């Protein structure tokens, strides 16, 4: 026993000596590294890697945080970080939490010098995050030069083809999807072109998109709502299909109907369901077609581009103004040509400095519309008949959605949302009144909304019934007034016809007196 204890004691001293020697070497190397020339250090690093490759069957792929000659972070690095956070972070002992910009939730990522293991189709892969500090005598001009972070992917060389062909694209796709799931949706608006230059140049400004609308709370016929959701899902998952038929991955929706029927609410519900950003394009602040094209290029995928009240934004009736013929040059009696009046300053540029129907059509489905992908374009209007047919044809506005007055099915959705009631004795009367009166979902919702903290269902429904009856009486009064006005107009027309016929008869009886020379 004493011999065994002595061996263990000696063995412990041996390991302690090894670790002490390793620590001394690391410290010595860190001291020597500061005085080594950069070229010699690179040569020793390359030599070490060649020796390691000669004795090990494993391959390592590095993904740097920053791309050379760029101030932004590498998209590949961000995708790898998001992928590991979503799939492999549970196996890490050390994690790093961060609050992303414009986000309300913490994102968790693998910490520096931490290793995690992943498996893909039978292959085992190791991910390690490293951080390299700069030398003490190096002056850095940017933040990312102060320290370099890298994700190192290590795997056996027999899996090289699998990693190149399938695993890396899988990491990129899943990382992008995880980024979209974790991001804060944003609402963009276009800046005036005067802000497009300078140090802090930005074409779009954004805020958090915090609209609470969902398809569940949207007052609409459930069957119609289901059709819209199915169409959105087909678009979201149809990248390969769009490529196979040779179409750009975009889709147009035209929302039309009276004010207060929920067009803006529909857009918010679409954005929330798809987890897309919204670009609210204000056409009246866009000077010409070139600026419109620039705005489109600056948008990103997974977004909804909205032009609200498009019939009021610019002249889109499609009617071409007839060109006035130039008058011939007239000469004065003296034979001298009249002096030409110079045009008003900037007057000749009025037709050039504006967005035209042609420019908007190219914006929707021209060659520039194929830049990027996964974009939805939404137009809203209160008067569909005012729009040019070329603007809303299929292929540009693929889906036409009529946002109509509230029907009984829509009312039941609103009653469930506002009052948490699915049936009531007043429902039958409300159904009958909604069939006779046009009332928008916004007006119905306002009458259903409780006026006190106590949700009195009977009072809210009775208020709605009263409002519907009043709207019915107003509609009948307008109809009667219109009928009376029409009768008066018809009576006036009959009197005018009678007087005109009498004048014609009197004209026939009158004798036409001609000069004497003409009578011969």
């Amino acid at each position: 026993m004493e011999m065994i204890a002595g061996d263990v004691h000696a063995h412990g001293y041996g390991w302690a000596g090894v670790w002490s020697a390793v620590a001394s070497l690391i410290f010595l190397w860190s001291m020597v590294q500061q005085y080594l020339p950069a070229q010699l250090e690179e040569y020793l690093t390359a030599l070490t890697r060649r020796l390691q490759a000669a004795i090990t069957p494993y391959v390592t792929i590095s993904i740097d945080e920053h791309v050379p000659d760029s101030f932004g972070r590498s998209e590949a690095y961000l995708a790898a970080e998001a992928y590991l956070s979503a799939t492999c972070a549970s196996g890490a002992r050390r994690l790093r939490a961060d609050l992303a910009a414009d986000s309300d939730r913490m994102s968790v990522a693998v910490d520096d010098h931490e290793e995690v293991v992943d498996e893909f189709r039978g292959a085992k892969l190791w991910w390690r995050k490293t951080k390299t500090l700069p030398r003490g005598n190096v002056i850095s001009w940017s933040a990312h030069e102060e320290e370099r972070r890298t994700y190192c992917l290590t795997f056996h060389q027999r899996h090289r083809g699998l990693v190149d062909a399938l695993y890396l694209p899988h990491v990129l796709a899943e990382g992008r999807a995880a980024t979209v799931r974790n991001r804060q949706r944003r609402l963009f608006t276009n800046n005036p072109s005067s802000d497009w230059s300078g140090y802090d140049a930005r074409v779009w400004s954004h805020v958090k998109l915090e609209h609470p609308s969902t398809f569940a709370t949207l007052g609409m016929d459930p069957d119609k709502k289901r059709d819209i959701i199915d169409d959105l899902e087909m678009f979201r998952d149809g990248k390969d299909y769009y490529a196979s038929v040779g179409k750009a991955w975009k889709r147009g929706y035209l929302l039309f109907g009276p004010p207060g029927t929920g067009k803006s609410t529909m857009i918010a519900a679409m954005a929330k369901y798809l987890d897309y950003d919204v670009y609210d394009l204000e056409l009246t602040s866009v000077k010409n077609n070139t600026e419109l094209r620039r705005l489109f290029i600056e948008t990103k995928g997974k977004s909804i581009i909205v032009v609200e009240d498009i019939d009021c934004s610019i002249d889109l009736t499609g009617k071409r103004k007839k060109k006035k013929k130039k008058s011939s040059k007239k000469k004065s009696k003296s034979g001298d040509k009249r002096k030409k009046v110079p045009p008003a300053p900037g007057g000749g540029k009025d037709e050039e400095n504006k967005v035209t129907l042609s420019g908007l059509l190219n914006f929707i489905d021209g060659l520039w519309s194929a830049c990027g992908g996964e974009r939805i374009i939404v137009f809203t209007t209160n008067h569909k008949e005012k729009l040019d047919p070329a603007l809303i044809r299929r292929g540009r506005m693929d889906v036409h959605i009529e946002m109509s007055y509230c029907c009984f099915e829509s009312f039941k959705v609103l009653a469930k949302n506002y009052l948490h009631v699915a049936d009531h004795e007043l429902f039958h009367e409300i159904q009958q009144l909604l069939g006779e009166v046009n009332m928008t979902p916004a007006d119905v919702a306002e009458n259903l909304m409780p006026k006190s903290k106590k949700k009195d269902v009977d009072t809210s429904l009775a208020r709605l019934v009263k409002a519907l009856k009043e709207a019915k009486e107003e509609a009948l009064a307008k109809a009667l007034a219109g009928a009376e006005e029409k009768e008066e107009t018809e009576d006036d027309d009959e009197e005018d016809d009678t007087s005109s016929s009498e004048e014609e008869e009197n004209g026939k009886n009158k004798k036409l007196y001609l000069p004497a020379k003409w009578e011969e």
Side-chain angles (χ1 to χ4, degrees):
M1 292 293 294
E2 293 180 359
M3 184 179 297
I4 295 175
D7 292 340
V8 172
H9 189 67
H11 187 67
Y13 272 116
W15 277 112
V18 170
W19 288 117
S20 177
V22 170
S24 300
L25 288 174
I26 293 174
F27 176 76
L28 180 61
W29 170 248
S30 63
M31 295 295 294
V32 173
Q33 191 178 16
Q34 297 181 4
Y35 301 98
L36 282 177
Q39 295 180 350
L40 179 59
E41 182 182 356
E42 292 179 1
Y43 174 77
L44 293 176
T45 302
L47 180 61
T48 303
R49 290 177 178 175
R50 285 198 295 268
L51 292 174
Q52 184 179 2
I55 61 176
T56 180
Y58 291 93
V59 179
T60 300
I61 297 178
S62 300
I63 304 176
D64 292 330
E65 182 179 11
H66 295 280
V67 180
D69 301 328
S70 175
F71 290 95
R73 303 176 73 187
S74 167
E75 184 180 1
Y77 180 90
L78 294 175
E81 186 169 68
Y83 172 78
L84 295 176
S85 299
T87 59
C88 305
S90 59
R93 295 294 184 90
R94 290 184 303 166
L95 299 171
R96 177 176 51 83
D98 190 13
L99 182 63
D102 300 328
S103 180
D104 295 329
R105 25 186 181 174
M106 303 284 284
S107 60
V108 179
V110 178
D111 199 5
D112 299 332
H113 307 296
E114 184 69 9
E115 185 176 270
V116 292
V117 182
D118 191 19
E119 292 187 2
F120 182 77
R121 298 195 178 187
K124 196 171 184 179
L125 308 105
W126 293 267
W127 287 91
R128 183 172 180 82
K129 186 178 182 181
T130 63
K131 181 177 72 173
T132 304
L133 297 175
R135 292 186 175 189
N137 57 351
V138 175
I139 300 176
S140 60
W141 296 98
S142 61
H144 68 79
E145 290 180 357
E146 296 179 0
E147 55 185 25
R148 295 178 55 189
R149 286 183 171 86
T150 304
Y151 276 110
C152 297
L153 172 62
T154 303
F155 53 91
H156 199 280
Q157 61 183 4
R158 65 172 175 267
H159 301 308
R160 177 67 178 271
L162 177 68
V163 171
D164 291 344
L166 299 177
Y167 183 68
L168 289 180
H170 169 74
V171 170
L172 182 61
E174 292 297 322
R176 286 174 173 171
T179 302
V180 171
R181 288 194 301 268
N182 296 330
R183 72 175 179 175
Q184 169 68 44
R185 288 176 295 111
R186 295 172 292 180
L187 173 62
F188 291 84
T189 184
N190 51 304
N191 295 328
S193 56
S194 57
D195 296 340
W196 292 8
S197 59
Y199 174 75
D200 192 22
R202 290 187 301 172
V203 175
W204 296 93
S205 297
H206 69 271
V207 295
K208 294 180 182 179
L209 180 58
E210 298 177 327
H211 200 291
S213 175
T214 64
F215 278 107
T217 61
L218 186 63
M220 179 181 283
D221 186 349
D223 294 336
K224 187 175 180 181
K225 193 187 304 184
R226 183 70 255 174
D227 293 339
I228 296 172
I229 293 175
D230 291 342
D231 190 82
L232 291 172
E233 290 178 350
M234 286 291 295
F235 169 78
R236 180 188 59 192
D237 304 330
K239 180 180 180 180
D240 295 335
Y241 174 77
Y242 275 81
S244 65
V245 298
K247 290 186 64 176
W249 193 14
K250 65 177 184 60
R251 194 155 181 81
Y253 289 82
L254 175 67
L255 308 183
F256 65 96
T261 52
K263 294 184 285 294
S264 299
T265 306
M266 168 68 76
I267 296 171
M270 293 168 64
K272 192 165 187 178
Y273 185 80
L274 296 174
D275 205 7
Y276 282 8
D277 291 332
V278 175
Y279 288 84
D280 186 13
L281 177 59
E282 182 58 50
L283 278 180
T284 56
S285 64
V286 183
K287 292 182 179 179
N288 50 44
N289 296 332
T290 303
E291 288 190 1
L292 183 63
R293 190 159 49 242
R294 169 77 182 278
L295 287 167
F296 183 83
I297 294 174
E298 293 291 337
T299 62
K300 297 182 179 179
K302 296 185 181 297
S303 61
I304 300 176
I305 303 173
V306 181
V307 182
E308 293 193 279
D309 297 324
I310 189 170
D311 54 306
C312 303
S313 299
I314 55 177
D315 183 14
L316 297 175
T317 58
K319 297 177 181 178
R320 299 181 179 180
K321 296 181 180 179
K322 295 181 180 180
K323 296 181 179 180
K324 296 181 180 180
K325 296 182 180 180
K326 295 181 179 180
S327 58
S328 58
K329 297 179 180 180
K330 298 181 180 180
K331 296 182 180 181
S332 60
K333 293 181 180 180
S334 59
D336 297 334
K337 295 182 180 180
R338 293 182 178 181
K339 295 181 180 180
K340 296 181 180 179
V341 179
K349 297 181 180 180
D350 289 342
E351 296 298 325
E352 297 178 2
N353 294 339
K354 70 176 184 179
V355 177
T356 63
L357 177 60
S358 174
L360 190 61
L361 296 180
N362 290 328
F363 170 82
I364 299 172
D365 68 345
L367 293 176
W368 289 97
S369 67
C371 298
E374 202 168 358
R375 290 183 179 92
I376 290 177
I377 301 176
V378 178
F379 290 164
T380 71
T381 179
N382 297 335
H383 306 282
K384 178 183 176 182
E385 66 279 359
K386 290 185 178 181
L387 300 180
D388 189 278
L391 180 67
I392 60 177
R393 69 165 176 81
R394 307 295 178 177
R396 289 180 177 136
M397 294 292 104
D398 306 284
V399 183
H400 294 192
I401 303 175
E402 182 179 5
M403 308 298 292
S404 58
Y405 292 104
C406 188
C407 63
F408 182 65
E409 296 298 328
S410 303
F411 158 75
K412 290 195 295 184
V413 175
L414 294 174
K416 185 177 181 181
N417 293 336
Y418 284 83
L419 301 176
H420 304 291
V421 59
D423 194 12
H424 194 272
E425 59 183 7
L426 292 177
F427 273 25
H428 179 70
E429 186 177 2
I430 293 173
Q431 181 178 9
Q432 184 178 359
L433 288 171
L434 286 174
E436 301 172 352
V437 181
N438 288 333
M439 182 173 284
T440 64
D443 291 333
V444 173
E446 181 60 29
N447 285 286
L448 290 178
M449 185 174 291
K451 304 304 180 182
S452 63
K453 293 182 179 180
K454 295 181 180 180
K455 293 184 178 180
D456 190 349
V457 177
D458 296 336
T459 303
S460 298
L461 292 178
R463 189 188 309 115
L464 176 61
V465 171
K466 181 181 178 181
L468 288 170
K469 288 181 178 179
E470 292 176 354
K472 181 179 178 180
E473 293 176 358
E474 291 179 3
L476 289 174
K478 289 182 180 179
L480 290 175
E484 291 177 357
E485 185 178 355
K486 185 178 181 181
E487 289 179 0
E488 292 177 357
T489 305
E490 290 177 353
D491 292 340
D492 294 340
D493 292 341
E494 289 178 0
E495 292 179 1
D496 293 340
D497 293 341
T498 303
S499 60
S500 61
S501 60
E502 290 178 355
E503 291 176 358
E504 289 177 0
E505 291 294 333
N506 295 332
K508 291 179 181 178
N509 296 329
K510 288 182 179 179
K511 183 178 179 181
L512 181 63
Y513 293 95
L514 299 175
K517 61 179 182 179
W518 287 6
E519 289 181 355
E520 295 178 358

